[in-house]
Amino acid sequence: MLDETVTAVHRRNLEAGLPALAATRGDPEVRALRVEALSRAAVGMSRGIESLIVRDQSNADLWLWLGRTRIEEAWEIKPEVKARAVQAHRLEAYHTAMEQARQPLLTAAGLAPGDPVPWESMLWLALGLERPRADKDSVWFECTRRWPTLYSANVARLVTLSPGWGGTAQEMMEFARTTAARAPEGSPLPALLPLAHFENVAAERTPMSRGGWFSFDAQREMVSAAGQWSERRIGPPHPRSIEAHNAFGAAFYLADLRRPARGHLIRTGGRYSRVPWSHLGDPESQFQRACGKLNVITN
């Protein structure tokens, strides 16, 4: 259903997104996933969402969608670090665009006080604007007190704590380990461990290459985390299971642990996630390359 809705939004049929979002009220994991997918599909069409809001100004779904779409639109124009000196005007445009996401998200939060998803989006907003740590911590508090195990919010927090975004490896790894250890049954939160190891190594490596990514201790920790998730996984798949399989699959592929890598990549159903593949280059091509080497059929 989400695939069909994303396709419709790509074709500028924004109204197709409304029932998909309305159906997620009360289910933060699915809501966060759909908001993310539909906002990426709506990049360049935020004015269209504004038009829908004019007709239904008390709809929290629309305000949330608008705010997250503006964040995704801002990421699209963010200049590379090396180009900032000669693209000051583009950096200013990026900050202006990112800041425009704040009010819609606050409106969505006000209309749906128990919903953690606007706060999850504001975690990315605070990250994108490089807000002071105290601001990031306060947004995290608001999110976690509503739904502490929200996968996408925990990923955002992990990135906030990473060395590449002003944090430290020690704090990031401690967060990943503690969160993974406390993950409820069926939750893919143990995947924070491979994601943390990717963030840790990526902050130190340049240029990216396949060899020597993870130490033996890191590999052992990730294997243990994967086992922990598998043993505690019950019931239907978690909405973020595919992302977790991508995280473990990519890590084991780089560690040349072919059998577990193949097992996880098969379970992606041929779907890649931006993270962690973006650490290697273009996410889709890197995913396809790994699947090809492991004889995983992706179509």
Side-chain angles (χ1 to χ4, degrees), residues 1-7 10 33-34 36-38 40 229 237-250 261-278 282-291 296-299:
M1 185 275 286
L2 184 56
D3 284 342
E4 293 174 357
T5 307
V6 165
T7 298
H10 274 303
L33 177 64
R34 291 188 184 179
E36 179 183 299
L38 294 175
R40 289 176 177 174
W229 177 40
H238 188 280
R240 298 282 181 168
S241 290
I242 287 175
E243 292 183 30
H245 283 303
N246 270 275
F248 282 116
R262 190 170 189 275
H264 283 285
L265 293 180
I266 285 174
R267 289 170 174 81
T268 65
R271 296 172 181 265
Y272 70 93
S273 55
R274 292 188 182 183
V275 178
W277 298 105
S278 57
D282 176 71
E284 182 176 11
S285 62
Q286 292 296 327
F287 171 78
Q288 295 291 349
R289 180 183 180 190
C291 288
V296 174
I297 298 173
T298 58
N299 51 21

Side-chain angles (χ1 to χ4, degrees), residues 170-249:
Q170 180 179 357
E171 187 176 25
M172 176 187 65
M173 294 305 305
E174 181 180 350
F175 171 75
R177 288 166 180 147
T178 301
T179 304
R182 295 175 179 173
E185 289 186 353
S187 171
L189 284 172
L192 291 182
L193 278 165
L195 293 179
H197 282 295
F198 267 106
E199 291 288 339
N200 198 26
V201 177
E204 302 173 355
R205 288 173 64 94
T206 180
M208 296 300 181
S209 62
R210 186 170 185 263
W213 265 77
F214 305 117
S215 67
F216 175 75
D217 286 342
Q219 293 177 38
R220 184 170 56 185
E221 183 173 43
M222 290 187 289
V223 168
S224 176
Q228 174 192 347
W229 177 40
S230 298
E231 290 168 7
R232 297 170 64 179
R233 196 164 66 233
I234 58 174
H238 188 280
R240 298 282 181 168
S241 290
I242 287 175
E243 292 183 30
H245 283 303
N246 270 275
F248 282 116

